Amino acid sequence: MSKPAFPLNAWYAAAYDVELKRALLPRMICSKPVVLYRKENGTPVALADACWHRLVPLSLGRLDGDNVICGYHGLEYDETGRCVYMPSQDTINPSACVKSYPIAEKHRFIWIWPGDPALADPALIPDMHWNQDPDWAADGKLIEVHCDYRLVVDNLMDLTHETFVHGSSIGNRAVAEAPFDASHSDRFAYITRWMEDIDPPPFWRKQYGRPGKVDRWQIIRFEAPCTVTIDVGVAEAGTGAKQGDRSKGVNGFVLNTITPSTDKTCLYFWAFARNYDLGNQARTHELREGVAGVFREDEEVLEAQQRAIDANPDHQFYNLNIDAGSMWARKLIDRMIDAELKPQTGPHAVAAE
Ligand code: FES
Ligand SMILES: [Fe+2]
């Protein structure tokens, strides 16, 4: 059996907050069909999307209060997945239930934990606070990309591709030419790149709003297994941005979390947050649409890359200097997967006995 592509013991974004309503939303998360909905009080629920009786997807049924009614023979489940009604019989088979997943709403995303519920610690939800913070204006989208989620992680960990894929907006020669630093811890990998005294590319010229040279930064933080936040911006050249004074510039955060849907498809949730011109809703809208256009360029490359990988199954990737960040990211992902494959030892195994 080949190694799984993703760990299950992790929080994965399943939906944007605005997508989840008083309606049944089917999603494939880590190769598991899940149905999501909001209860009458607004709290989210995630259940396995397959009826206990004959496996018809519950998402084809309907909500009744906080319960889901299967659209085939009418079995009714409460929000914990327990069957509370069966047609034409008074006693309910005690084993009649569907799996319910740990779920949380935070920083505008609905997160679910597909693995062992006992390990679902809310403190492990990735930090995306810029997406819901009065000091930042943010918005974003969900894109469904037909590729292994790790290809998106690779893409974000190496921004030299901006020069070649996004030349009309955020890329220019300086990105591919500037050196970078790589570092990592158990759960995080970082790539930091400073481009000093450069002409900003068109996107940043517009955000900055002034002529002249800038110091530009990209500080990429990967949080295993699939969240990448990128601190980006430009400031007037030589005014100390690198040393910590960003007051002569503009700062954004590109927030990305990429949920494996299957081995070869993913749900790519992203947002762009800025800390300037906060009250300008038109700018929030324009930025979201502009960044969506940039990401469409990535999507084309990534889907073509996946098709090429499928057509060349024996070809190993070559790694260059620029791949340091993605190599660390993949190493941290592999560690999480390996930890799940090992026979359980340690405190959790004892507690489960
Ligand atoms: S398949 Fe759901 S009630 Fe029969
Ligand atoms: Fe890109």
Side-chain angles (χ1 to χ4, degrees):
M1 200 185 86
S2 65
K3 187 162 159 167
F6 39 75
L8 293 176
N9 288 325
W11 289 103
Y12 288 103
Y16 242 110
D17 56 357
V18 289
E19 291 185 281
L20 200 56
K21 306 189 173 81
R22 290 279 300 147
L24 298 170
L25 175 69
R27 280 278 144 91
M28 185 71 85
I29 309 290
C30 296
S31 299
K32 296 176 189 298
V34 174
V35 57
L36 301 146
Y37 63 94
R38 285 192 192 275
K39 295 200 297 185
E40 280 175 332
N41 70 5
T43 55
V45 175
L47 301 176
D49 195 14
C51 181
W52 171 84
H53 178 220
R54 293 287 158 92
L55 293 178
V56 168
L58 292 177
S59 54
L60 297 176
R62 66 182 174 84
L63 272 178
D64 182 22
D66 290 345
N67 293 354
V68 184
I69 299 179
C70 177
Y72 200 6
H73 313 100
L75 262 71
E76 181 171 343
Y77 301 89
D78 70 12
E79 81 245 30
T80 67
R82 195 166 58 92
C83 180
V84 293
Y85 170 79
M86 285 178 179
S88 306
Q89 60 185 72
D90 293 334
T91 48
I92 293 177
N93 186 321
S95 72
C97 60
V98 295
K99 189 173 164 56
S100 83
Y101 292 95
I103 190 163
E105 181 163 5
K106 198 171 183 189
H107 304 149
R108 297 211 46 214
F109 297 109
I110 309 293
W111 303 89
I112 81 162
W113 180 281
D116 180 352
L119 302 177
D121 177 357
L124 296 174
I125 296 172
D127 179 14
M128 301 281 258
H129 75 271
W130 303 269
N131 210 19
Q132 197 170 39
D133 181 325
D135 293 336
W136 297 82
D139 206 0
K141 288 190 177 186
L142 160 63
I143 332 173
E144 301 194 38
V145 191
H146 292 264
C147 74
D148 183 325
Y149 74 105
R150 291 170 295 191
L151 298 184
V152 184
V153 172
D154 291 346
N155 169 283
L156 293 164
M157 294 307 287
D158 166 31
L159 296 179
T160 52
H161 82 268
E162 288 185 352
T163 308
F164 308 99
V165 180
H166 310 305
S168 63
S169 54
I170 51 176
N172 62 8
R173 221 50 234 185
V175 186
E177 280 162 9
F180 60 86
D181 289 325
S183 64
H184 67 93
S185 65
D186 281 356
R187 219 171 115 210
F188 296 96
Y190 301 86
I191 295 285
T192 301
R193 181 182 255 129
W194 280 90
M195 293 148 273
E196 290 173 269
D197 201 25
I198 61 159
D199 289 315
F203 174 88
W204 283 114
R205 171 68 72 207
K206 190 164 176 208
Q207 298 308 309
Y208 180 58
R210 277 168 284 165
K213 301 263 188 194
V214 296
D215 293 337
R216 180 185 183 189
W217 65 89
Q218 292 170 329
I219 302 168
I220 308 173
R221 186 182 77 167
F222 167 79
E223 179 171 358
C226 57
T227 299
V228 181
T229 56
I230 314 179
D231 173 4
V232 290
V234 298
E236 187 179 338
T239 56
K242 193 174 177 180
Q243 290 70 38
D245 177 5
R246 295 177 174 183
S247 60
K248 303 282 186 306
V250 288
N251 189 187
F253 263 83
V254 191
L255 310 173
N256 312 273
T257 189
I258 310 106
T259 300
S261 191
T262 64
D263 285 4
K264 292 183 185 178
T265 56
C266 58
L267 302 170
Y268 177 7
F269 297 89
W270 62 265
F272 183 83
R274 69 178 190 280
N275 71 348
Y276 50 94
D277 198 14
L278 293 183
N280 188 343
Q281 187 58 31
R283 191 164 198 164
T284 306
H285 179 93
E286 269 173 28
L287 275 167
R288 186 189 62 193
E289 295 312 307
V291 176
V294 172
F295 285 176
R296 259 192 297 279
E297 297 172 329
D298 290 303
E299 204 180 325
E300 271 178 36
V301 172
L302 293 167
E303 292 188 344
Q305 187 186 14
Q306 181 68 58
R307 288 192 295 274
I309 290 170
D310 293 342
N312 298 278
D314 300 324
H315 187 89
Q316 298 288 316
F317 285 0
Y318 288 99
N319 288 313
L320 308 175
N321 287 345
I322 55 169
D323 299 311
S326 71
M327 284 167 68
W328 269 110
R330 283 174 176 256
K331 215 171 269 186
L332 298 184
I333 294 171
D334 278 346
R335 275 189 204 162
M336 290 180 80
I337 297 169
D338 292 342
E340 288 179 12
L341 295 177
K342 263 198 226 129
Q344 285 282 324
T345 53
H348 176 65
V350 175
E353 273 164 14

